[in-house]
Amino acid sequence: MENPQDGPANGAGSVPQQDIAIEEDVDQALAKRVLGKIDWRLLPLMFITYNLNFMDKTILSSASVFGLREDNKLHGQQYSWVSSVFYFGYFFWEYPTTLLVAKLPVAKYLSLNTFFWGLVVALTSACSSYGGLISLRFLLGVAEATITPGFMFITSTWYTRDEIPTRTGVWFAGNSVGGLVASFVAYGAGHIEHSIHPWKWMYIILGVVTFIWGIPLFLFLPDSVEKATFLTEEERKYAADRVVLAGTGLTDHTSWNLDQALECVSDPKTWLIFSMSLLTQIPNGGTQNFGNLVLKSFGFSSLQSTLLVIPASVISACTIVGTGWIAGRYREMNCILVISVIVPAIVGSSLIYMRPRTSSGIQLFGYFLLSTGPGAIPLLISLVGVNFKGVTKKMTMTALLFIAYCAGNIAGPQFFRTEEAPHYNTAFRAILVCYCLVVGLAVVLRCYLKSWNGKREKEEGVRGSAGAGGAIAARKMMPETGVQVRRIEEQVGAVELGPEDYDDVTDWKTFGFRYRL
């Protein structure tokens, strides 16, 4: 007698629909379990590390209004150079560290780097001269240069192209939350009445916390999918395959490739993103280190200025997390989101530039509007993560992105001329121009990527996918043909991968690879 569950369409050797449904449920349960485990292991570690990364770098702004400038006998543009020299150290170590990130066990490398970084922060409290302060700020730049490239590498290793923007937004939001926590630390330290001045306590507290944080980072951050002991063997295999099918490829067992490096520097999108990074960081470098001084110029006290940074940090964090979530959900929104976070910053810089014709309340409102501007850099970081494929190509682009980041942050403080205090008209005019140029470049980048996708569609004869990793190795993965590509958990179970599928291939050479806009 015929099994009614099989149905008349099931011939000999066919799979019953009930069994298919059960198999799909199992695949979805595995997918949910694996992603949940990855998120809970990686994101808290990266978020807290990035929190400390920002606090240790920007506590200088709070320290500047609690005696740092006087105790170190700074005058003229020396404080501006103390702000900028951090990025000389960052610049110096940026490309070497991107090569080391890809070659060394990334988690162990980041952990040891964190111990060194915490030590440098704590030693800053012992500075009593311009020379000592500028030397340790340079070393802090060297120490922190590894963190963001390392996290970009980890994110693209573990997550799919649809997941990268949201996860990048989560850990990068540690920047803004770090600013909030740093304000509380500065406010508390500002009340300390002791022979050791408040700015020194800020560096001692943050240095010790950072050094101690290196221990859980060393113990719990995995070096790679292959070495992830918190996953079972089945889960590790699934985690690796999902990145091949819907990510930008695995990063294990790869070597530096000259052809990929040359492809990166000849790729137009490289220089568009490079320029946007540079232009967003000129404003960032200035406001990050002069924020408290600008707030004091509005008529607030030193302690009040530390508290007023808090709402700005909240706005920035919400902007970064919110735009990261939207960019992960919608594949054609990234460039539009860059514009959306820059426009309020343009308005804010305009309001501050117009003073003293505006009231202190309007100036403060303009300062808060500037807080959306930092949301542009994590969107650019995620664009690199999702649109660059091939380990050497991606790490070369990462290095270029942060060379631009350093150059912008070095230049930014120099626009804050001492003789123009407290209004700093040159600085806010430069901020306004830079942000306007970013809007124009975002439009150009979006148009370029859209036209490139159209060109590849015509050449390959298929629609392709901006969510999948492309169809490598004999085109086993079906690109989109007018309907959404199958969900990744279904693809992993359905597509049989061979050794050739794990090859280190660039986005230019991957069939079906489409760029996110």
Side-chain angles (χ1 to χ4, degrees):
M1 185 175 178
E2 188 179 271
N3 188 337
Q5 291 181 333
D6 291 346
N10 290 332
S14 64
V15 181
Q17 292 297 317
Q18 184 181 25
D19 291 348
I20 294 175
I22 292 172
E23 186 176 331
E24 288 180 353
D25 288 342
V26 170
D27 289 342
Q28 290 178 23
L30 176 62
K32 187 175 181 180
R33 185 171 72 251
V34 170
L35 183 57
K37 281 188 172 184
I38 293 171
D39 280 343
W40 281 107
R41 175 56 66 97
L42 300 185
L43 293 181
L45 292 171
M46 293 196 290
F47 177 83
I48 294 173
T49 305
Y50 223 67
N51 190 309
L52 292 168
N53 176 277
F54 190 81
M55 291 167 65
D56 293 346
K57 176 171 58 184
T58 60
I59 197 66
L60 178 69
S61 180
S62 296
S64 70
V65 296
F66 281 102
L68 176 139
R69 291 182 299 167
E70 293 76 13
D71 286 356
N72 287 275
K73 306 171 186 65
L74 303 184
H75 56 84
Q77 287 296 107
Q78 286 186 336
Y79 177 72
S80 293
W81 281 112
V82 169
S83 303
S84 294
V85 77
F86 169 92
Y87 295 98
F88 281 101
Y90 207 112
F91 181 91
F92 166 76
W93 191 238
E94 185 57 39
Y95 193 66
T97 202
T98 57
L99 299 178
L100 291 173
V101 161
K103 288 181 177 295
L104 298 176
V106 64
K108 302 301 180 289
Y109 179 48
L110 284 168
S111 304
L112 294 175
N113 189 79
T114 302
F115 290 127
F116 172 63
W117 149 32
L119 188 62
V120 170
V121 173
L123 287 174
T124 304
S125 64
C127 290
S128 58
S129 67
Y130 174 63
L133 193 59
I134 207 166
S135 299
L136 282 170
R137 285 285 293 179
F138 179 88
L139 288 176
L140 183 62
V142 171
E144 292 197 18
T146 300
I147 303 301
T148 308
F151 284 2
M152 289 177 67
F153 185 83
I154 290 170
T155 306
S156 61
T157 301
W158 285 86
Y159 291 106
T160 69
R161 295 178 72 198
D162 283 336
E163 295 162 357
I164 287 172
T166 303
R167 271 63 183 186
T168 300
V170 169
W171 58 256
F172 200 94
N175 251 3
S176 300
V177 176
L180 187 153
V181 176
S183 296
F184 284 118
V185 171
Y187 187 78
H191 285 85
I192 295 176
E193 296 181 3
H194 193 272
S195 58
I196 298 176
H197 290 178
W199 74 268
K200 293 177 180 284
W201 279 111
M202 296 176 194
Y203 279 101
I204 291 170
I205 293 166
L206 291 178
V208 170
V209 170
T210 301
F211 187 88
I212 293 172
W213 178 248
I215 298 171
L217 208 60
F218 184 88
L219 295 175
F220 300 116
L221 187 66
D223 287 312
S224 66
V225 176
E226 291 180 340
K227 298 177 182 178
T229 55
F230 67 96
L231 298 176
T232 65
E233 185 176 347
E234 178 191 22
E235 290 168 344
R236 285 195 294 272
K237 176 69 166 58
Y238 183 91
D241 288 350
R242 68 195 291 273
V243 177
V244 172
L245 290 171
T248 53
L250 287 184
T251 53
D252 295 322
H253 313 304
T254 58
S255 57
W256 191 83
N257 187 312
L258 177 61
D259 289 340
Q260 288 194 17
L262 293 174
E263 182 179 312
C264 181
V265 297
S266 62
D267 192 333
K269 70 178 182 288
T270 294
W271 300 108
L272 286 169
I273 295 174
F274 176 92
S275 301
M276 291 167 70
S277 177
L278 173 66
L279 290 167
T280 57
Q281 294 314 295
I282 290 175
N284 184 70
T287 56
Q288 198 175 82
N289 294 291
F290 283 81
N292 288 76
L293 294 175
V294 170
L295 286 169
K296 281 191 71 176
S297 75
F298 295 164
F300 300 104
S301 69
S302 296
L303 285 172
Q304 287 172 332
S305 72
T306 62
L307 290 179
L308 286 171
V309 173
I310 293 172
S313 298
V314 172
I315 293 169
S316 184
C318 292
T319 300
I320 291 168
V321 173
T323 54
W325 180 83
I326 295 170
R329 188 172 178 84
Y330 301 100
R331 298 171 183 172
E332 297 189 355
M333 286 291 291
N334 209 303
C335 291
I336 293 173
L337 289 169
V338 170
I339 295 171
S340 72
V341 302
I342 292 299
V343 169
I346 290 174
V347 175
S349 58
S350 300
L351 292 175
I352 297 175
Y353 178 66
M354 289 170 63
R355 62 183 179 155
R357 288 171 288 173
T358 53
S359 67
S360 59
I362 291 176
Q363 292 164 21
L364 183 60
F365 177 66
Y367 180 83
F368 289 150
L369 287 178
L370 282 174
S371 305
T372 64
I377 193 68
L379 290 169
L380 294 176
I381 288 173
S382 68
L383 269 176
V384 172
V386 298
N387 283 341
F388 285 79
K389 195 167 183 286
V391 172
T392 303
K393 182 174 183 179
K394 180 176 292 184
M395 297 315 289
T396 301
M397 181 62 236
T398 300
L400 289 171
L401 178 76
F402 285 100
I403 285 171
Y405 172 86
C406 292
N409 279 284
I410 288 169
Q414 303 310 315
F415 288 100
F416 283 79
R417 308 296 299 175
T418 303
E419 62 270 19
E420 292 184 351
H423 293 162
Y424 300 113
N425 287 335
T426 298
F428 285 99
R429 184 164 58 246
I431 289 171
L432 184 59
V433 170
C434 287
Y435 277 146
C436 288
L437 289 173
V438 172
V439 171
L441 287 172
V443 173
V444 173
L445 178 62
R446 179 179 170 81
C447 292
Y448 171 75
L449 294 175
K450 193 174 183 67
S451 67
W452 190 257
N453 282 347
K455 178 185 175 184
R456 293 192 69 171
E457 274 186 26
K458 290 180 181 179
E459 290 175 351
E460 296 174 350
V462 294
R463 182 176 172 186
S465 173
I472 57 177
R475 305 177 184 178
K476 294 174 184 176
M477 189 175 180
M478 288 300 294
E480 296 177 4
T481 55
V483 294
Q484 284 289 329
V485 72
R486 294 176 67 191
R487 295 192 320 185
I488 182 60
E489 58 265 27
E490 298 173 6
Q491 292 266 5
V492 174
V495 177
E496 184 178 347
L497 296 172
E500 70 277 10
D501 292 306
Y502 298 90
D503 289 344
D504 184 20
V505 191
T506 68
D507 51 281
W508 277 11
K509 297 174 183 176
T510 301
F511 182 91
F513 191 95
R514 299 293 180 265
Y515 298 112
R516 298 174 77 100
L517 310 180

